[in-house]
Amino acid sequence: MKRLTYIIVLVFFTIAFSSCRDKESKTLSTEVKHSGALRTIMSGNIQPVISLDTLSKMKNLYALGAVDNLKGEIQIFDSQPSNSFVVDSSLQIKDSYNIKASLLVYAEIKAWDSFQIENSKTKSDLEKQIFEIATDIGIDIEKPFPFLLDGTIASLDWHVINWKDGDKIHSHKKHKESGLNGTLKDSKVQIIGFYSTKHKAVFTHHTTNMHMHFKTDGNEIAGHIDDLLLHQTVTLKLPKQ
């Protein structure tokens, strides 16, 4: 009888411990973290706030941000960096963690669910549909969450910042024009984004709940997304619930 009681108690604690670990794992896998803030950058403070090498051991890392002193753009897909820089007026992509950031938003996501984007053309349409789908599948939209887009876009306006040393006057227009910029048409891309209703001027601009970076399918171009138009061939991925 004592042995049976011992076994029952042991099984109970094993199940309870396993349940706690599962809950903890789920929490950790969807938690969005950030270092730095857009409002700080716009005030003229562009010094580094985090070293990417401190995150290099994360297995399923997704991140975007700005290189310290605004000398490039950061985008990491499933722990693979595709960071972009302007060197001698040309775009260079580097797969290194050996850089620092003035702004970084990141999360470790082990699994994603896929959804077909429908009836969305503009960035505003996309923002509304992400909100609706995230709400439908039970994502807590009171907290920030990451998303991915994969497919062929109709048009995408991009820039890679290369801020002039000593310039203390910041504006969104100057950020877009300081380095390289361009427009992609009918191109296959991967997009990493973060959605939040609570982080305007922190890691989203004051007019939107999204911040998005991208890389082309061949990794020739990567950087910050200023605007985009969608085809009906884009897949949205949200953290598996």
Side-chain angles (χ1 to χ4, degrees):
M1 185 66 180
K2 289 183 179 180
R3 179 177 177 79
L4 179 59
T5 302
Y6 171 77
I7 292 173
I8 293 172
V9 171
L10 181 61
V11 170
F12 172 79
F13 279 109
T14 301
I15 293 173
F17 178 70
S18 176
S19 177
C20 288
R21 287 186 61 187
D22 289 344
K23 289 179 181 178
E24 179 184 7
S25 176
K26 184 175 180 180
T27 299
L28 289 174
S29 68
T30 58
E31 181 182 5
V32 173
K33 298 181 179 180
H34 69 90
S35 295
L38 287 169
R39 65 169 68 97
T40 303
I41 289 174
M42 299 305 285
S43 71
N45 185 349
I46 57 178
Q47 297 303 305
V49 293
I50 188 172
S51 295
L52 262 64
D53 59 12
T54 62
L55 309 176
S56 61
K57 297 187 184 302
M58 297 175 71
K59 293 183 179 180
N60 304 108
L61 177 66
Y62 294 83
L64 61 79
V67 176
D68 69 294
N69 293 301
L70 303 186
K71 293 295 186 180
E73 308 287 347
I74 296 167
Q75 34 281 324
I76 301 175
F77 294 82
D78 200 14
S79 298
Q80 298 298 315
S82 294
N83 302 320
S84 45
F85 304 84
V86 180
V87 179
D88 296 329
S89 299
S90 297
L91 185 65
Q92 290 192 6
I93 309 295
K94 299 181 182 179
D95 61 350
S96 174
Y97 277 94
N98 188 29
I99 60 175
K100 297 179 180 180
S102 295
L103 173 69
L104 191 71
V105 192
Y106 59 99
E108 191 175 17
I109 307 298
K110 296 180 180 179
W112 302 82
D113 282 324
S114 296
F115 306 88
Q116 193 67 30
I117 290 294
E118 298 176 352
N119 302 318
S120 287
K121 182 69 173 177
T122 67
K123 190 164 72 170
S124 178
D125 294 337
L126 174 65
E127 184 173 329
K128 292 177 183 177
Q129 192 156 37
I130 289 176
F131 176 86
E132 291 169 356
I133 295 174
T135 301
D136 287 344
I137 67 171
I139 289 179
D140 184 357
I141 50 85
E142 293 297 312
K143 297 178 181 180
F145 61 88
F147 62 90
L148 300 175
L149 293 169
D150 190 1
T152 301
I153 46 84
S155 175
L156 186 152
D157 295 337
W158 62 270
H159 79 262
V160 173
I161 198 166
N162 187 29
W163 194 248
K164 182 180 179 181
D165 292 337
D167 190 345
K168 301 294 185 181
I169 308 300
H170 291 259
S171 70
H172 187 53
K173 183 174 184 292
K174 287 177 68 176
H175 282 192
K176 290 194 293 184
E177 297 176 351
S178 71
L180 291 176
N181 59 75
T183 299
L184 297 175
K185 298 286 188 180
D186 296 315
S187 299
K188 189 172 182 180
V189 299
Q190 295 178 52
I191 294 172
I192 169 67
F194 287 87
Y195 185 104
S196 177
T197 60
K198 309 291 186 181
H199 290 83
K200 286 184 169 65
V202 179
F203 60 77
T204 72
H205 294 288
H206 67 280
T207 59
T208 178
N209 293 323
M210 303 186 301
H211 188 161
M212 297 182 290
H213 285 205
F214 81 102
K215 67 175 181 177
T216 54
D217 197 42
N219 208 32
E220 301 92 352
I221 304 174
H224 179 93
I225 295 176
D226 296 315
D227 202 2
L228 80 164
L229 296 175
L230 301 177
H231 283 311
Q232 294 296 319
T233 55
V234 177
T235 299
L236 168 69
K237 295 182 181 181
L238 295 171
K240 184 178 287 292
Q241 298 303 292

